[in-house]
Amino acid sequence: MSAAAGEQIVLRDVSKRYETASGTVPAVEDVNIAVRAREFVALLGPSGCGKSTVLGMIGGLVRPDAGRVSIDGVAVTGPDPRKVALAFQDPGLFPWRTALDNVGFGLELQGVPAARRREIARALLEPMGLRGFEAKYPRELSGGMRQRVAIARALALETPIVLMDEPFGALDEQTRILMGEWLVGIRARTHKTIVFVTHSLQEAIALSDRIVVMTARPGRVKDVVDVPLPFPRNVNAPEVVDLRAKLWEQVREESLKALDIRL
Amino acid sequence: MKILAWRAALLLGALAAWEALARPLSPVLYVAPSRLPAAFSRIAAVNDMPPLGAHAWLTLEEVAAAYALAVSAGLWLGFLLGLRRTVGRIYEPLLAAVYAIPSVVWYPSLMLFFGLGPASKIAFGFLLGFFPVALSVLAGIRQVPQHLITVAVSMGARPGAVFRKVMLPAMASTMVGGLRAGLALSVVGVLVGEILGARAGLGYVINYAYGLLMTGEYAALVLIVGAAVLTIDATGAWLESRVRRWTT
């Protein structure tokens, strides 16, 4: 079966279970998602709903138990750094590498010469407000800076697809909002396909073209919501407020299930 | 600077106190610091023995051999048990159990196998130095953050690259600590071996001086060994701090 026109990432009837000490836990069940090229899709849902698992399967880090994950019509069998780059909530910078050498890590794996790596890394760090921090080690950088370095490291691979797993989840709210605005700018310049996992309604609305709302465990697709608003988005515009209310209804329902409480 | 000055003052004070205390007492049991220079020159050339330098050189050679063996075997076994989960689960408790036995009990059997010569000293130095190296590798492997490995794999790193570019640097500081401890214990092993039974080496000379109640010479030897070990260990500490600064 070939993917519909323009569909770059396709998940068809994908399921994943985890074996734990207390038995088998279904993480995601019968998930169907299609992401078009250059689209920004947010995966939104309560904690533990399998959002990260879905992202891991697209990135080739997690193997589905059933169903098929494909990129450009080719089944995903493992990480493919020519097509997909990942950024995580924990920036996961290598503490023994400077910011510059962290950004160059993926290129180093591909055998790009050191001088060229540095050049590419410098060109990425500069517009991220990290000029002058190239030679700093991760411990010398703030949380927001570390996350930008980690994203630069993912962007350095120059892949058409970037997957982000709550990349701003550990940052304070102000930094988080600014990082979101910054990402909108990056996206406008680089035309990448981005799949972005978040549990923040605000973040999902501010950044994405479409929002995939997921159910509590086992994670399924509950709804897919278009966000046909121009960037930059005003968080207080009436459309945004309406959309947030609608999304909150759905997310609230699932979060309650996830928490297993009744209010 | 202030701390160094205090340390020097403390050392001088202790020496002065010891001098004052030792003078009126029996010179065989209590070696006053003022008697050490003469003892140094006497022990440097004992009539019926090779010069002290030759003994020191032999000990150094034995330590080098023992430590080289301890490092290669320790790294090999550590990585074997650490990287192969199943093998590790089978053998790691055995390693810990053997380590728990006080190593000195092995020495008589090493003498039986390897004789009175350098081989038994090397074997004992190896035995003592081996465990900290192997155990530090195991501990180091466990300390590598899984997330960093995931990050590297997501960027296409193959097992070899994960090992070289993530695991080794992430475990370096723990490993260097083990290498340093292993060196100290290899030195102990060789010296103890020489003291317990040998025909040459610094430990042998220590035993010789002690056996003839040449306590001044004995004290001088202890100082020589102490200074040598301190120098080696300071080098190790410096290396360790460099690695630590680099990796954390």
Side-chain angles (χ1 to χ4, degrees), chain A residues 61 79 81 86 88 90 92-97 105-106 108-109 139 153 157, chain B residues 147-148 150-157 161 165-166 169-170 245-248:
Chain A
L61 294 173
L86 282 110
F88 304 89
D90 175 345
L93 298 181
F94 302 111
W96 54 89
R97 284 172 173 254
F105 182 79
E108 190 178 315
L109 291 174
R139 63 173 180 278
R153 182 173 61 183
L157 293 171
Chain B
H147 184 57
L148 292 186
T150 306
V151 167
V153 168
S154 81
M155 291 200 268
K165 292 179 193 287
V166 182
R245 224 180 312 155
W246 173 60
T247 53
T248 49

Side-chain angles (χ1 to χ4, degrees), chain B residues 63-237:
Chain B
V63 168
Y67 187 55
L69 288 170
V71 169
S72 11
L75 291 181
W76 176 77
L77 195 73
F79 279 113
L80 182 76
L81 298 193
L83 294 178
R84 314 222 162 189
R85 295 263 163 87
T86 325
V87 183
R89 260 197 227 137
I90 298 170
Y91 288 101
E92 215 187 306
L94 288 178
L95 190 71
V98 175
Y99 185 46
I101 302 173
S103 309
V104 185
V105 303
W106 302 112
Y107 192 63
S109 70
L110 292 179
M111 282 230 274
L112 283 177
F113 274 111
F114 296 110
L116 270 178
S120 57
K121 284 78 204 167
I122 294 172
F124 197 48
F126 157 76
L127 189 69
L128 260 62
F130 162 79
F131 284 101
V133 175
L135 293 173
S136 75
V137 172
L138 283 170
I141 288 175
R142 256 182 250 119
Q143 273 168 10
V144 178
Q146 186 58 42
H147 184 57
L148 292 186
I149 295 179
T150 306
V151 167
V153 168
S154 81
M155 291 200 268
R158 301 190 178 285
V162 170
F163 181 72
R164 273 179 292 116
K165 292 179 193 287
V166 182
M167 294 192 67
L168 277 186
M171 58 190 288
S173 73
T174 308
M175 250 168 65
V176 171
L179 288 172
R180 192 179 152 198
L183 178 56
L185 282 175
S186 282
V187 172
V188 170
V190 167
L191 283 174
V192 168
E194 286 177 349
I195 289 176
L196 290 180
R199 287 188 225 96
L202 279 180
Y204 165 74
V205 185
I206 288 175
N207 199 31
Y208 170 88
Y210 156 79
L212 295 181
L213 283 183
M214 297 157 69
T215 40
E217 287 83 340
Y218 166 73
L221 284 165
V222 169
L223 281 182
I224 291 172
V225 170
V229 169
L230 274 181
T231 312
I232 294 173
D233 195 58
T235 317

